[in-house]
Amino acid sequence: MKHNPSPGYEDGGPKRVLLRDEAYQTIKEFLLTEESEEVLSERTLASRFKLGLAPVRSAVERLRAEGLLTAVMNSGLRLPEITAREILDFYEMRMVIEVHVVASLTGKLSDDQLKQLYAILDEQDICAEIRNTNRYHQLDLDFHTTLAELHGNSEMVRTLQQMRDKMYRLSRRLHRIHPERLSLNAQQHRAIVDAIREGEIEKSRKSMQAHLAWGRAFTLDPNGRMGGDWQRLTVAAG
């Protein structure tokens, strides 16, 4: 009589097969956290994380579709490089969406909504002080997506959510090299929310523009090798 494997097990053995979503989350977290240049394969990923090949193949296919894995000819898979052109395009898109969002929210948020934003800012201040970059990066994403959610345009929310992985990668790149800049980033976030609370539309617009332009400048030139004048001009151009 043929033995049918129990649900959740591979070939009826004791090793539980992780669901596709679990494999996807495990591999994605590894890619975003490590930012490794290592060339990978489905078998090496399966071995490293003790996953079955079937869920790994499903996860890899999904990650390739999202742009978090790219094929290297005759080698395998790797995390794709983010080019300067992609960085410029990324910040241009954010500039269009997020400056509009803060202008629309200015003077219109309830006390509870403002408390929600200030709670994120307060935790950011703590993380910046102790240089907890991993938690800070998550809060950074939460801050920007929360603004979009409060605005209420589902297409804008969806667009920002689709950019979350790239936002995370660029944020880690920026603050991993210069963790001391977390405090400045947090101050910029607070200036944006203060302007929204005060009802100063032009101030909120300029605060978000300056914040995104600052991020763009330091992402493209994290060590200031192109000089302070270039960075100031880049921020002003935003």
Side-chain angles (χ1 to χ4, degrees), residues 107-125:
K108 298 178 181 177
L109 294 185
S110 67
D111 289 343
D112 286 343
Q113 290 170 326
L114 287 168
K115 285 179 182 178
Q116 181 182 359
L117 289 169
Y118 279 116
I120 295 173
L121 299 181
D122 290 343
E123 189 176 354
Q124 283 184 330
D125 287 340

Side-chain angles (χ1 to χ4, degrees), residues 93-112:
M93 176 65 76
R94 290 186 63 191
M95 195 77 72
V96 171
I97 293 174
E98 297 194 63
V99 171
H100 172 75
V101 164
V102 296
S104 299
L105 293 177
T106 301
K108 298 178 181 177
L109 294 185
S110 67
D111 289 343
D112 286 343

Side-chain angles (χ1 to χ4, degrees), residues 33-45:
T33 303
E34 297 299 323
E35 278 278 329
S36 173
E37 296 182 1
E38 178 185 359
V39 177
L40 305 162
S41 71
E42 292 174 352
R43 290 191 177 277
T44 58
L45 288 169

Side-chain angles (χ1 to χ4, degrees), residues 119-159:
I120 295 173
L121 299 181
D122 290 343
E123 189 176 354
Q124 283 184 330
D125 287 340
I126 295 171
C127 291
E129 183 177 352
I130 63 176
R131 297 192 176 183
N132 182 347
T133 57
N134 286 336
R135 178 57 183 159
Y136 189 94
H137 297 146
Q138 183 59 55
L139 291 166
D140 192 1
L141 297 176
D142 290 346
F143 173 74
H144 289 278
T145 53
T146 297
L147 287 172
E149 288 167 355
L150 291 173
H151 177 265
N153 185 311
S154 60
E155 290 300 319
M156 288 183 178
V157 172
R158 186 176 298 111
T159 299

